[in-house]
Amino acid sequence: MSHLSPEDRTERHRRSNCRRGRHDYGPFQNIGAGIIRRVCDACGWVTIDLTNADELRAPIVPSRDNILDLVARRP
């Protein structure tokens, strides 16, 4: 029996917790444009937070009609 009460005990994070969806995320990583990334220290699971991501000010209009126009053609 432990000398610590259940409230004072800290449970070590196990990979089985990750399988249940309870990850041990490390610090927040700002990867630009307001996008926040967090990685689980135990299994490497990644979560991305887009709530503060920048919105586009104008729609992106492709300058080419076809993706094949971007490929270099061989003579």
Side-chain angles (χ1 to χ4, degrees):
M1 177 169 264
S2 174
H3 66 282
L4 296 174
S5 66
E7 299 88 36
D8 295 337
R9 267 188 259 153
T10 58
E11 183 181 326
R12 204 176 83 199
H13 186 79
R14 292 180 169 77
R15 292 202 43 130
S16 62
N17 290 340
C18 291
R19 282 187 237 118
R20 293 182 183 108
R22 296 187 298 254
H23 297 281
D24 183 27
Y25 292 110
F28 291 99
Q29 300 170 345
N30 185 355
I31 56 175
I35 300 171
I36 304 295
R37 175 180 180 243
R38 293 183 73 191
V39 180
C40 178
D41 292 333
C43 69
W45 184 268
V46 176
T47 181
I48 296 177
D49 182 12
L50 300 174
T51 56
N52 295 326
D54 295 335
E55 293 184 22
L56 292 175
R57 291 181 177 84
I60 298 175
V61 180
S63 60
R64 308 264 184 198
D65 293 333
N66 191 339
I67 195 164
L68 295 176
D69 293 340
L70 298 174
V71 178
R73 302 206 187 251
R74 294 184 188 172

